[in-house]
Every structure is written in structure tokens, then in C-alpha cells.
Amino acid sequence: MREGSLTLPQLVQHYIEREQAHRTLNSYIEVFADEAMQSAIEIEQKMKAGTAGRLAGMVIGIKDNICYKDHNVSAASGMLRNYNSVFSSTAVERLVAEDAIILGRLNCDEFAMGGSNENSVYGPVRNPYNRERVAGGSSGGSAAAVAAGLCLAALGSDTGGSIRQPASFCGVVGLKPTYGRVSRWGLIAYASSFDQIGTLTLCADDAALLLEVMAGADGRDATASSSLVDDYTTFEKCTEKYSIAHIDECLHHPALSPDVKSNFETQLDTLRSAGHVVQRVSFPLLKHMVPAYYILTTAEASSNLSRYNGVFYGHRSPSASHIVDLYTQSRSEGFGAEVKRRIMLGTFVLSAGYHDAYYTRAQKVRRLIYDATARIFEKFDLIVGPTTPRPAFGIGEIADPVTMYLEDIFTVHANLAGLPAISIPTGQSKNLPLGTQFMAPVFCEKRLLAIANQLMRQ
């Protein structure tokens, strides 16, 4: 565009046509074609005048649980199928203020609850590398769209790996910032002490730029950190060699596939060859992370989703005859099976007689995980591991919920401890992408971007 060989409207038209040609991926729920084209015309004039924002020329998609004023947002749920947002999320506001073009809203697991993007009222998202495989979840539409070239970058949300796992499955870069680094205002809540907006991109450069624009304090979100926003886009100046820990229990976990293990060991050798210090550490709490995560997140989901009762907004059952009927039928009809499962589990662990046995104990385990991780970071700059225990699995392959939950074994760590983490593509198995994950201390996203950039350029 700087050279004049491509106009911004031509670029937007390219992405619109790409989406139409790849409609079978089911990554987009809605494309804002006319609006995006009008924005492209206006922003191109600003570019010519030298007044355009930092994101001028960037065409992005947003996950369907992130609010965009005067546009539908449904969290891929029948409960909110026709809900039109009356405000924009802080993240979207900041992107639009810098002249990013929002191309459309992207498919996801219902209320971000899932690891395969099969729990959407709009149907499953398919993997661009193999359409019989899942794209991952819950931000599967975002990952698939970026991987297939249907937008330059996308926003997702990460509660227990919902950015990093689909990034690994689709061969893109998935960045989950530190909890509180990006405002959650306008993100439809799943589990409020875990949720974090992040990015799916093709490279570290785009992730750095988007994060730098979105990050920072927000008076509308008390959990948004007021810590100084780093100059993430200068990450290439970080050329120092890092001390990197890898968790022994991850490398020898029974769920780890041979191909993923082999790829990960190759990445460890690459890091050592590049001059980084890589050492094995033990983390016995690994086996407790998934149970603690699902107790805490379902408890928070039970609370957050109690507002969807058919009274104020959302699906209202037409056949209800009295108030109890209205609540029961509206929620039974509006929510999908997985969401109802998690609401019931969360209600159970918060109930009298079970609160201390489950919820309180899980909170204690979360603190133990946080403390044990902090001790690792006293000696190491980064923690590295496989993003997922195996490549993308087949659509419909995993029917057992517990088996599906265990797919999060390597990603929930960062959310339980509130840490930043990134997944980068580092190989393939039978033409399916494989990812490697790095975690860093809080607010050390720049370190993650630097090591990701180094490894991807090897």
C-alpha cells in the first residue's frame, strides 16, 4: 500500500472473497462487508493525508464473545443469537481508534466453553489443514481465519488455553497476555478471574503491535492493571540468552503423543544450540491443575451465567406459563449441552455442604500452583512446553467430556497463575501443525515475543 500497488479497499475485497471461497471452514458467523469497505475508503484517505492510526491497513476479525457497538454478539449461543451490543469492548474501541478494520465476528465454542469449537450453535469450525479435524477451541474461528488468510489477525479470549490451543492446531501465533493486561470490559464473561483477551496472528510483530494498542488501565474494569505498558514492538532488540525451564512431568505425561514429544525435544535442542540455557524442573502439581481449573471456572460460570434467565435479555421461552417455567425453559432451550453441564457442575461445587470440599480446596491448590511457579521464575526467565498433548483431533472424535477437559493439561497452568503465555508453530505431524508454548512472569510479554521471534526464525 505504501508503494501504491495495492489499495486498502482492494485488500478488504481480497479478504471478503477469501472468506466466501472458504465458507466451508465455518470460521465467520457474520462478515461486515459493506461497513468494512466503507471504513477502508475512509482510512485510505487518512493514510494519504498522513493522519492514519498505527493499525491502518490491518484487517482483523473478532471472536463472537467480544462486544462491538451496534453489531450482533452471541457468544455462539442460542441464548444470545439476536443480541445487538449497545457498546464496544475496550479492546475493540482501542483498535478502531487506531484505524483497524473489523471485518466480522468469528465462530467459537458457546460462551467460550470448549476445546474443539464443536459447541457452537452455528456448527463446528473446521481446520484449514484438514477439514475433518477440529480447529481447536474455544477461539477456533479466530485461529482458522488467520491460518486460512481470511483476515490478517484476530482477537480471541483465553480462559484455559482457548487462544493457544487453536493456535497450535492451526499453525498460528497465539498470545495470552498477563491477567489484567488487557481490559475485559465488553468481553462476555465465562470465568472472570481467568478470562483474558488476546491475539491470533501470523507473526510476533503483529501480536506485539496489537497488544501495545489494547493494553493498559481501564476505569471500566477494576481488574485491568495500571502497570506501565511496555513498548512491545521493540522486542527484536531483546537479543539476550534466556534461562529456560521445561517441566519434566509434561515431557513424560501419558497423554503426550510421540510426534509432539519428538517435536518438542527438537525445539529444546534448537534452543540450546541458539545459546539459551535449558534445564529440566519437576512440577508435581501438574496432575492437580485440570481438576482445580474446572472446579473454579465452572463455579464462576454458574455465577456469571445466572443473569441469562429470559427476563431482561437473551432467549425467552414462548411456552412458559409462570415465572419458574420462564426461567427453567428459557435456560434449558437457550443453552447448549456443554454450557448446561458446566453450570450444573459449578452450582454443585458452590452448594452448601460441598463448597469447602471442592471450591475452597481448589482455591488453595490454585495458590500452591502460583507459588510453585513463582519459585521456578526465581531461577528461570521462561518455562517451555508442548502447547497440546497431540495434534488436532477429528471432529466428533472425543465424546467423553472428561477426556476433552484433559486436552487442556498444558495450557491451564498460565490461567491458574495469571501468567502471560504464547504458542508458536514449530512443526507438523502428518500435515497437521504442532505448537510450542512459552510462559513468562507477569507483564513479561515482551520476553515471550522475543523468544517466539527467535525460534520462528531459526
Side-chain angles (χ1 to χ4, degrees), residues 86-345:
V86 298
F87 65 93
S88 288
S89 68
T90 298
V92 168
E93 279 184 350
R94 292 177 178 177
L95 296 183
V96 172
E98 291 292 342
D99 288 329
I101 294 175
I102 310 298
L103 185 60
R105 54 190 181 112
L106 295 159
N107 206 347
C108 59
D109 281 301
E110 184 181 7
F111 282 97
M113 298 182 191
S116 64
N117 218 145
E118 295 174 283
N119 300 326
S120 169
V121 72
Y122 306 105
V125 175
R126 296 181 179 273
N127 193 303
Y129 285 82
N130 183 333
R131 281 168 167 71
E132 300 305 312
R133 304 272 178 158
V134 301
S138 60
S139 307
S142 299
V146 174
L150 313 186
C151 56
L152 180 66
L155 294 189
S157 65
D158 194 308
T159 306
S162 287
I163 287 174
R164 290 159 289 147
Q165 189 243 34
S168 178
F169 282 2
C170 293
V172 298
V173 176
L175 175 65
K176 182 204 95 70
T178 304
Y179 180 78
R181 180 71 292 181
V182 176
S183 171
R184 291 185 298 109
W185 174 260
L187 172 68
I188 295 176
Y190 161 20
S192 302
S193 73
F194 292 78
D195 298 339
Q196 186 59 205
I197 292 174
T199 60
L200 293 111
T201 60
L202 295 170
C203 60
D205 303 76
D206 291 343
L209 181 57
L210 287 168
L211 179 61
E212 196 167 299
V213 169
M214 292 189 296
D218 180 15
R220 297 171 295 187
D221 177 9
T223 65
S225 174
S226 58
S227 298
L228 185 68
V229 176
D230 209 339
D231 52 344
Y232 299 116
T233 51
T234 62
F235 67 85
E236 289 183 336
K237 296 179 180 179
C238 302
T239 57
E240 65 262 35
K241 303 305 178 184
Y242 297 112
S243 56
I244 304 173
H246 72 90
I247 295 172
D248 188 53
E249 286 82 357
C250 291
L251 192 57
H252 296 96
H253 195 276
L256 191 66
S257 75
D259 288 350
V260 173
K261 182 176 182 179
S262 175
N263 177 261
F264 178 60
E265 289 173 333
T266 298
Q267 304 316 310
L268 295 181
D269 291 339
T270 301
L271 290 167
R272 293 187 181 101
S273 299
H276 302 288
V277 176
V278 181
Q279 294 183 7
R280 180 179 59 189
V281 298
S282 180
F283 198 86
L285 291 169
L286 179 69
K287 62 185 179 182
H288 299 296
M289 287 199 285
V290 169
Y293 169 82
Y294 276 97
I295 287 172
L296 296 174
T297 56
T298 56
E300 293 185 21
S302 173
S303 175
N304 279 326
L305 272 64
S306 64
R307 71 193 71 177
Y308 303 105
N309 54 23
V311 176
F312 298 109
Y313 52 83
H315 173 74
R316 176 180 292 199
S317 176
S319 60
S321 58
H322 52 80
I323 189 66
V324 176
D325 248 7
L326 177 65
Y327 288 174
T328 303
Q329 293 187 35
S330 296
R331 289 168 65 81
S332 296
E333 294 165 7
F335 291 132
E338 182 59 33
V339 173
K340 286 187 278 193
R341 181 182 293 115
R342 297 195 193 196
I343 290 173
M344 289 188 286
L345 178 58

